[in-house]
């Protein structure tokens, strides 16, 4: 077990931190207030190689390991949840899934440009009547000669307007319940496809989230990922990667809460002393620090298992659940420490509080992860070994 960052990881951390300080921090307040998703920043993320961090170099990525991806997510979310969410969806949910399940033609056509950041990928699982209950989805894919015809709707899809390619889950055989779900690579340019951003979100306002519509969309049969009926397994394996990035990002959210709160503790005085000298304020700071360190340990443990190709659904779920809860509490306490000033956008902590809520909901709600953990402990849930392993890293 090694708790040290490698030289390469330290350099990566510094690169992302510098990027966030220069390209995100000065503008994020305004983007958030205006609900502006900045495509230019996505392009810059790609230019410095952050869209394919743990994709092998042979497929256009940087060939780094999972914990390097965690570092990127942590540092990005220190700036704002929007860009970490973009990396989670593009890399964690889409590209890693293509790497794991795609055939060589699909990898060359879709994964390589995504890993290079030339194209953006997204993940379309949730529907108006199907969130936690994936098997309730209504979208259908009907085989017709060389095509599948897709009909249906997705909702709450991150990068809905920004992505070029979507992983879309649809029923090819509803009678088989979740064994009848299949996964497809859908291009934005296909006729009958459209998207619409959602307005009025509580947080991640600098992000892009919304609906996808499929009206008789012809998807070539070559764009079926895996086999017909593999869709549920594919979605769950994608979530194992996505949840890891969400957990790592939550550590960055706690870092941001700590930074803002420590500054304010030294700046604000009550009863003749810095508020940081009051023990009840110290308690909130201490809990943030404990949350950060515990979350990091859970994230890096899950990352180590991933690097070894060992099934890690249980460990990743625990990391995601705990880190997101700690981040949400840290943001709440950060506002508390700022008093009334924390309640306005004069300070960033109100944005942290709004942003920290979605990660407690997406990629498995707090309740779903609680149930998963209880079921593992009680012996009601057991995972099979991974049926497809990822290629070794750094090759
Ligand atoms: C900002 C944002 C971005 C998102 N991006 C994406 C994306 O890119 N792609 C995508 O596919 N989806 C995305 N989602 C959707 C997200 O994954 C779903 O919202 C999530 O899975 C929960 O589904 P739901 O909202 O339908 O809630 P529901 O499943 O309807 O749950 C409602 C409530 O009931 C509880 N509940 C449900 N079932 C149980 C149970 N068995 N036991 C106990 N409690 C239960 C839940 O915990 C929750 O509190 C995004 C959501 C947000 C907010």
């Amino acid at each position: 077990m090694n708790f040290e960052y490698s030289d390469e990881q330290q350099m990566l951390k510094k690169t992302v931190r510098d990027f966030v300080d220069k390209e995100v921090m000065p503008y994020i307040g305004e983007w958030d207030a205006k609900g502006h998703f900045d495509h230019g920043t996505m392009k810059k993320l790609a230019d410095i190689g952050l869209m394919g961090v743990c994709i092998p170099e042979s497929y256009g990525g940087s060939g780094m390991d999972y914990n390097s991806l965690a570092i990127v997510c942590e540092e990005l979310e220190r700036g704002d949840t929007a860009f970490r969410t973009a990396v989670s969806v593009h890399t964690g949910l889409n590209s890693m899934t293509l790497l794991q399940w795609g055939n060589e033609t699909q990898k060359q056509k879709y994964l390589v440009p995504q890993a290079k950041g030339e194209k953006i990928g997204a993940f379309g699982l949730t529907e108006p009547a199907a969130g936690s209950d994936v098997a309730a989805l209504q979208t259908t894919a009907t085989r017709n000669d060389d095509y599948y015809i897709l009909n249906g709707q997705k909702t709450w899809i991150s990068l809905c307007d920004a992505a070029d390619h979507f992983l879309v889950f649809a029923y090819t055989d509803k009678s088989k319940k979740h064994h009848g779900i299949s996964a497809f690579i859908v291009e934005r340019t296909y006729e009958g496809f459209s998207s619409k951003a959602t307005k009025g979100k509580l947080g991640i306002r600098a992000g892009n989230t919304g609906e996808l519509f499929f009206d008789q969309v012809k998807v070539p049969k070559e764009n079926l990922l895996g086999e017909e009926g593999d869709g549920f397994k594919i979605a769950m394996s994608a979530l194992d990667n996505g949840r890891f990035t969400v957990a790592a990002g939550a550590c960055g959210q706690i870092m941001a809460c700590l930074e803002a709160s420590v500054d304010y503790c030294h700046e604000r005085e009550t009863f003749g002393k810095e508020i940081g000298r009051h023990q009840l304020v110290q308690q909130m700071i201490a809990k943030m620090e404990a949350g950060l360190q515990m979350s990091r340990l859970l994230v890096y443990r899950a990352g180590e298992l991933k690097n070894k190709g060992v099934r890690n659904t249980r460990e990743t779920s625990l990391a995601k659940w705990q880190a997101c809860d700690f981040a949400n509490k840290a943001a709440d306490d950060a506002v508390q420490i700022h008093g009334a000033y924390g309640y306005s956008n004069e300070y960033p902590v109100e944005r942290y509080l709004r942003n920290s809520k979605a990660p407690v909901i997406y990629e498995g709600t707090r309740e779903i992860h609680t149930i998963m953990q209880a079921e593992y402990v009680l012996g009601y849930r057991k995972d099979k070994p991974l049926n497809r392993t990822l290629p070794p890293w750094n090759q």
Side-chain angles (χ1 to χ4, degrees):
M1 207 178 293
N2 184 1
F3 290 99
E4 300 291 314
Y5 292 133
S6 67
D7 290 348
E8 197 185 24
Q9 286 172 330
Q10 274 175 13
M11 210 151 58
L12 178 69
K13 192 171 174 67
K14 184 173 177 334
T15 303
V16 187
R17 181 160 291 214
D18 290 349
F19 175 86
V20 164
D21 285 343
K22 184 164 169 262
E23 304 288 351
V24 178
M25 295 296 204
Y27 314 106
I28 189 65
E30 188 187 336
W31 292 340
D32 181 78
K34 289 184 175 160
H36 168 73
F37 174 71
D38 198 67
H39 292 269
T41 303
M42 286 289 287
K43 168 89 180 57
K44 287 175 192 164
L45 280 173
D47 289 345
I48 58 168
L50 298 187
M51 299 309 271
V53 172
C54 62
I55 305 295
E57 287 173 12
S58 51
Y59 288 112
S62 309
M64 299 178 92
D65 71 349
Y66 267 99
N67 282 335
S68 304
L69 179 62
I71 290 168
V72 170
C73 292
E74 226 181 80
E75 290 297 328
L76 281 179
E77 191 146 359
R78 179 180 152 267
D80 193 73
T81 311
F83 297 105
R84 195 275 305 147
T85 299
V87 167
S88 289
V89 169
H90 170 88
T91 304
L93 291 174
N94 188 316
S95 298
M96 300 297 291
T97 312
L98 293 182
L99 181 65
Q100 193 170 352
W101 292 88
N103 59 37
E104 196 51 34
T105 312
Q106 291 168 337
K107 286 179 186 168
Q108 291 302 331
K109 187 168 179 192
Y110 295 107
L111 175 60
V112 170
Q114 285 183 193
K116 290 180 178 169
E118 294 163 359
K119 297 282 181 188
I120 301 295
F123 184 80
L125 180 62
T126 304
E127 299 189 0
S132 308
D133 184 5
V134 172
L137 60 84
Q138 304 283 322
T139 300
T140 55
T142 312
R143 180 75 188 263
N144 190 345
D145 298 329
D146 289 343
Y147 291 89
Y148 287 88
I149 307 291
L150 244 70
N151 280 296
Q153 180 185 347
K154 299 287 171 182
T155 192
W156 287 106
I157 306 306
S158 304
L159 303 178
C160 68
D161 290 331
D164 303 283
H165 314 144
F166 297 84
L167 275 187
V168 176
F169 297 85
Y171 269 111
T172 40
D173 186 348
K174 188 122 197 179
S175 68
K176 292 184 180 163
K177 306 237 166 96
H178 61 271
H179 293 298
I181 298 173
S182 302
F184 299 90
I185 305 164
V186 177
E187 297 185 29
R188 169 177 297 282
T189 51
Y190 291 166
E191 210 179 316
F193 173 92
S194 59
S195 65
K196 184 167 170 263
T198 299
K199 302 285 175 208
K201 287 182 295 181
L202 173 70
I204 321 188
R205 293 184 183 163
N208 169 235
T209 324
E211 294 169 289
L212 310 179
F213 303 93
F214 310 96
D215 180 11
Q216 296 286 105
V217 176
K218 274 168 88 177
V219 179
K221 68 177 187 341
E222 295 76 25
N223 284 24
L224 173 71
L225 193 63
E227 307 290 330
E228 271 192 27
D230 278 346
F232 188 79
K233 276 188 285 183
I234 293 175
M236 294 306 123
S237 69
L239 288 169
D240 276 351
N241 289 327
R243 287 169 178 169
F244 175 73
T245 63
V246 175
C251 297
Q253 182 66 94
I254 305 173
M255 282 198 299
C257 291
L258 267 169
E259 275 179 40
S261 300
V262 167
D263 283 352
Y264 197 73
C265 278
H266 292 312
E267 182 185 317
R268 180 77 172 171
E269 291 191 359
T270 65
F271 302 96
K273 54 186 175 187
E274 289 182 358
I275 60 167
R277 295 280 179 195
H278 297 305
Q279 287 186 349
L280 288 177
V281 174
Q282 290 179 355
Q283 187 178 51
M284 290 188 269
I285 296 286
K287 280 190 176 162
M288 283 185 211
E289 175 66 10
L292 173 60
Q293 299 306 335
M294 286 190 270
S295 302
R296 271 205 186 122
L297 288 174
L298 292 175
V299 169
Y300 290 126
R301 179 179 67 143
E304 270 309 296
L305 294 175
K306 287 173 183 295
N307 287 340
K308 290 181 185 149
V310 176
R311 180 83 189 242
N312 54 83
T313 305
R314 179 176 182 168
E315 293 78 7
T316 299
S317 154
L318 184 63
K320 192 275 180 189
W321 171 36
Q322 287 302 301
C324 293
D325 266 6
F326 278 130
N328 191 216
K329 177 76 175 101
D332 191 24
D333 282 347
V335 171
Q336 192 68 21
I337 287 172
H338 284 69
Y341 292 99
Y343 201 67
S344 84
N345 62 6
E346 191 180 337
Y347 286 89
V349 291
E350 62 86 33
R351 174 166 54 86
Y352 300 160
L353 180 57
R354 289 187 287 100
N355 282 354
S356 68
K357 189 61 197 172
V360 182
I361 295 171
Y362 60 44
E363 304 218 24
T365 63
R366 170 189 289 149
E367 292 70 36
I368 293 299
H369 289 293
T370 306
I371 291 167
M372 284 174 72
Q373 291 305 316
E375 287 184 349
Y376 280 122
V377 174
L378 290 163
Y380 301 149
R381 176 186 283 261
K382 288 191 176 71
D383 292 330
K384 295 185 188 132
L386 288 176
N387 64 348
R388 286 178 195 225
T389 50
L390 293 166
W393 303 106
N394 303 316
Q395 285 187 7

